[in-house]
Amino acid sequence: MRQSLRSLSVKIPLLGITLLLVCAVSIAYPIYVRAHYELESTMSHELLGIARSCAALIDPDQHEDVFAISVEEFEGAESFERIRDTLRTIQSANDLAKPIYTLRPALDYEESGEVEFVVMTDLIAGRPYVGNRMVASPYVRQVLASATPVCTPLYADSEGTWLSAIAPLLDGDHVVGVVSIDYTGTKFESALARMRTAFLWVAATATFLSGLVMVVFVRPLVRRISRLTEGTMRVAAGDLDSPIGVRGDDEIGRLAVSFDAMIENIRSARGAAADAIKDAERAAQVKASFLANMSHELRTPMTAILGFADLIADPSSLSEAEFREYITTIQKSGRHLLVVINDILDFSKIEAGKMDIDPRGVAIGPLLLEIVELLRLRAEEKGLTLTVEFTTPVPDSVVTDDVRLRQVLMNLIGNSLKFTEKGGISIRVGTVLVENRQMLELRVQDTGIGMDEEQLGRLFREFEQADNSTTREYGGTGLGLAISKRLAQILGGDLTAESEPDAGSTFRVTLPISESVHTRWISSPEQPKLASAAPKKKSRVVLDNRVLFVEDGPANRRLVTTLLTKAGATVVEAENGRLGVDAALEAEREGNPFDLILLDMQMPVLDGYGAARELRARGYDRPIVALTANAMASDKQKCLDAGCDGFQPKPFDRDVLLAVVQSYSQPRADQGGGRPDVPA
């Protein structure tokens, strides 16, 4: 590389000199050509003037008389001598004019194209040149034809270099001959030689100045360019540690600075790319691990459901205790499967920005006691304590989404129960200042296995738990804490964690407090409970109404029909929306209408949305409740917009479904139309 750069430092000056020399020659050569043309034009104009003057001095009649004189009588003949004296006078006045002679067309000029000599200033071998013939040159023929003087270009023969001026001899308007003056090219050649010398001097001077410019100005420039080139070649070879090292305020200096900045950007980009590759590889590993774990989380409860369903298919081989145990296992596995599916759906909604919240006043004390009661059995099964403690007075209620807050707390307490083997879990409630703003703080503190700093750093990432061994031992999707943190942020607060290995973990949920004149501050979760009435014992739901259930899935039709029939309802089934519309309208015409239509929304032939819209368009005003697996808030609104009165997502709890159907029941004596005033 160095040798090539040294060669470059030689070639560039030579190339520069050559270019400057070419530029100088390109400028000087047109000047030389122009001067040559001007010189030739000047001499031609001078010669033509002499030729015209000579032709004007010759009497054409005397010129014709010369042919009447015999060769012996030429010497002393008046007409011959007079013409020759004229020619010699012209010759003596112009020292560069050599032979001057006249010509006339031969008698057979049209056929032969020849002309004859008439008078010449010199004698040939002591005799006149009269009568000799020669083929007319193109210039002579041009003058004879056009009666216009011409001057030949410079030409050479054995006697030297010449220019010839030819002028017509006119007898009135008739050309009777020509006068030709041969002009030696010595003067012209001398002028050309001087011009060539000047041209060479110009070229030599340009060459010298070019070399001087290259030495003084270009060589330092070339050295800087060479250093710049060497630096860029190092960069091309992968060396990003050495700067270009060329400085200056000119274009090369700025280019070098730009290269140095580019090298720094490449280094940064290379580092960022390496980090991105590592992150992508880690994400791929995490997602692969998540998919494997998710497959396990889905297949494990599904295996239990299908396996125990096979066992209870033959009830004769089972005792009553085994039968109840298997049913309970199927129910638990189904609920666990539903939790996994809900986690996936919640995360998808959060990622898509579709997670809707429904803020309302939420009583903190009853909510915490409800959660504790739901999870107390799990804690007692592991020999753990589960307590609620207020560290400071707190508002009796906060404005938030109770469903999402319950989801966050259930997830945190459930995690603590999962990872704690001895001791217990305490829920501490109080107020804290966060950026000069008073917030409600709910701390879930356990005495479990804890985590180190590296595990804490990954804790709230999607698809991750503390490590793979945790997943294998305790299970889980790795989405719960990520969802909980995002939900806490959506609710206007945050979720953070502290932990030490073998010393337990503490999760802090903060929520904004919105005080009003009606806000009461409480110091114990028991206060609201003491003020409330004791819960009533749940009674068995008894139905006495007609229900049209429109559903394309045979298993779901069988399940819902069985549940409602055992509760006392009369159920009519339809397999798609078209059959459902026909059945509803037919019952109206027969005077035996349905009290309620349970309508699946995804069906062949005519879906639930189309069926509801058609019924409303045809004047049907009895209650319609959407019973669908499309469980998002936007799906609920879509159902209501289509004409439904209520919305119940699948899967559903039996008691919830019976309560929904009961809320739309009407006394059997009233068969009139109209919808009951029950919220959707």
Side-chain angles (χ1 to χ4, degrees), residues 46-87:
E46 181 181 347
L47 275 177
L48 287 174
I50 296 172
R52 288 192 190 94
S53 299
C54 183
L57 294 174
I58 298 175
D59 185 348
D61 293 332
Q62 291 180 353
H63 192 262
E64 289 295 327
D65 290 343
V66 173
F67 283 94
I69 304 172
S70 63
V71 175
E72 291 79 7
E73 295 175 345
F74 266 110
E75 292 295 334
E78 181 180 359
S79 56
F80 177 78
E81 290 297 339
R82 185 174 296 173
I83 294 174
R84 187 165 63 173
D85 289 343
T86 300
L87 298 181

Side-chain angles (χ1 to χ4, degrees), residues 354-571:
K354 301 293 185 180
M355 177 61 75
D356 298 321
I357 62 173
D358 183 17
R360 63 182 65 186
V362 178
I364 294 298
L367 176 66
L368 293 174
L369 292 177
E370 177 189 342
I371 293 172
V372 168
E373 287 302 317
L374 288 173
L375 297 175
R376 188 180 301 281
L377 181 60
R378 286 180 56 187
E380 291 175 351
E381 287 175 349
K382 297 185 69 173
L384 303 174
T385 61
L386 182 58
T387 61
V388 179
E389 177 185 352
F390 279 37
T391 59
T392 67
V394 300
D396 62 343
S397 67
V398 294
V399 177
T400 188
D401 188 316
D402 61 327
V403 174
R404 296 307 175 186
L405 178 57
R406 181 182 287 105
Q407 180 180 351
V408 171
L409 294 175
M410 289 284 288
N411 189 24
L412 295 178
I413 300 171
N415 265 4
S416 293
L417 288 171
K418 182 191 297 185
F419 295 110
T420 303
E421 299 299 331
K422 61 181 179 179
I425 295 94
S426 63
I427 306 167
R428 300 177 184 271
V429 186
T431 58
V432 293
L433 285 177
V434 178
E435 297 179 353
N436 296 322
R437 182 183 180 190
Q438 193 173 37
M439 305 282 283
L440 177 68
E441 181 186 65
L442 300 102
R443 283 185 291 167
V444 178
Q445 188 170 350
D446 63 52
T447 57
I449 60 175
M451 293 170 285
D452 58 26
E453 290 295 329
E454 193 270 336
Q455 291 171 331
L456 271 176
R458 301 198 313 268
L459 188 61
F460 296 112
R461 293 178 183 173
E462 298 86 351
F463 317 123
E464 292 203 14
Q465 290 183 334
D467 56 34
N468 289 333
S469 62
T470 302
T471 303
R472 289 192 296 270
E473 182 175 354
Y474 296 99
T477 62
L479 288 175
L481 288 177
I483 292 173
S484 297
K485 184 174 181 68
R486 299 284 284 276
L487 285 176
Q489 292 172 340
I490 292 173
L491 294 175
D494 201 1
L495 170 60
T496 59
E498 296 175 1
S499 185
E500 292 183 8
D502 302 321
S505 303
T506 300
F507 292 88
R508 287 183 170 86
V509 179
T510 56
L511 294 173
I513 295 176
S514 300
E515 288 191 58
S516 68
V517 294
H518 303 292
T519 299
R520 292 190 306 109
W521 291 76
I522 59 176
S523 300
S524 168
E526 299 293 332
Q527 291 181 15
K529 182 177 181 181
L530 294 175
S532 63
K536 296 180 180 180
K537 183 178 179 180
K538 184 169 63 174
S539 61
R540 181 173 177 270
V541 175
V542 178
L543 302 177
D544 183 21
N545 52 1
R546 279 171 48 81
V547 177
L548 173 61
F549 182 37
V550 186
E551 162 73 62
D552 62 324
N556 286 336
R557 286 203 309 272
R558 177 69 180 275
L559 173 63
V560 172
T561 299
T562 301
L563 289 175
L564 298 183
T565 301
K566 286 186 175 183
T570 301
V571 181

Side-chain angles (χ1 to χ4, degrees), residues 96-395:
L96 295 180
K98 294 305 180 186
I100 301 177
Y101 51 88
T102 65
L103 300 170
R104 58 164 285 172
L107 296 177
D108 57 353
Y109 173 75
E110 295 296 335
E111 291 80 15
S112 65
E114 293 182 344
V115 292
E116 297 177 343
F117 285 91
V118 180
V119 180
M120 194 171 190
T121 55
D122 301 325
L123 297 177
I124 303 302
R127 299 183 61 192
Y129 206 62
V130 179
N132 286 352
R133 294 175 60 143
M134 68 175 185
V135 176
S137 68
Y139 303 102
V140 172
R141 290 199 297 271
Q142 179 180 343
V143 174
L144 290 174
S146 64
T148 302
V150 298
C151 186
T152 67
L154 190 68
Y155 64 92
D157 60 14
S158 59
E159 298 183 11
T161 305
W162 308 89
L163 280 173
S164 296
I166 306 170
L169 293 175
L170 298 175
D171 186 5
D173 293 332
H174 179 63
V175 180
V176 297
V178 298
V179 174
S180 178
I181 303 176
D182 293 340
Y183 190 87
T184 182
T186 303
K187 180 179 179 181
F188 186 69
E189 286 184 327
S190 299
L192 289 178
R194 289 192 299 272
M195 289 174 59
R196 282 193 294 269
T197 302
F199 175 74
L200 292 175
W201 271 108
V202 169
T205 302
T207 303
F208 173 75
L209 293 177
S210 300
L212 184 62
V213 168
M214 294 300 297
V215 170
V216 175
F217 298 104
V218 177
R219 288 199 64 181
L221 186 66
V222 170
R223 283 197 296 270
R224 299 177 69 210
I225 293 175
S226 298
R227 291 172 60 191
L228 180 62
T229 305
E230 184 176 357
T232 57
M233 293 177 70
R234 287 198 306 270
V235 173
D239 180 9
L240 300 178
D241 298 325
S242 302
I244 299 298
V246 178
R247 295 293 179 264
D249 294 331
D250 57 357
E251 287 79 1
I252 295 178
R254 289 192 289 271
L255 181 61
V257 172
S258 299
F259 265 112
D260 286 339
M262 181 186 69
I263 293 171
E264 183 61 31
N265 290 336
I266 292 174
R267 277 202 298 263
S268 301
R270 180 177 290 182
D275 293 340
I277 291 173
K278 290 180 181 178
D279 290 342
E281 291 174 348
R282 186 191 65 81
Q285 293 173 354
V286 168
K287 289 186 178 180
S289 175
F290 166 75
L291 290 175
N293 181 46
M294 189 60 63
S295 175
H296 173 269
E297 289 296 313
L298 292 172
R299 290 175 181 274
T300 297
M302 188 60 68
T303 300
I305 292 170
L306 295 176
F308 283 105
D310 288 339
L311 291 176
I312 64 176
D314 184 13
S316 61
S317 63
L318 302 175
S319 65
E320 183 177 351
E322 288 175 328
F323 184 83
R324 291 184 178 278
E325 178 187 355
Y326 295 169
I327 291 296
T328 301
T329 302
I330 290 174
Q331 289 175 333
K332 288 182 178 179
S333 298
R335 292 189 184 100
H336 176 72
L337 188 61
L338 182 60
V339 169
V340 173
I341 294 173
N342 285 337
D343 279 350
I344 297 173
L345 293 177
D346 284 344
F347 180 73
S348 300
K349 286 190 284 186
I350 291 173
E351 286 294 297
K354 301 293 185 180
M355 177 61 75
D356 298 321
I357 62 173
D358 183 17
R360 63 182 65 186
V362 178
I364 294 298
L367 176 66
L368 293 174
L369 292 177
E370 177 189 342
I371 293 172
V372 168
E373 287 302 317
L374 288 173
L375 297 175
R376 188 180 301 281
L377 181 60
R378 286 180 56 187
E380 291 175 351
E381 287 175 349
K382 297 185 69 173
L384 303 174
T385 61
L386 182 58
T387 61
V388 179
E389 177 185 352
F390 279 37
T391 59
T392 67
V394 300

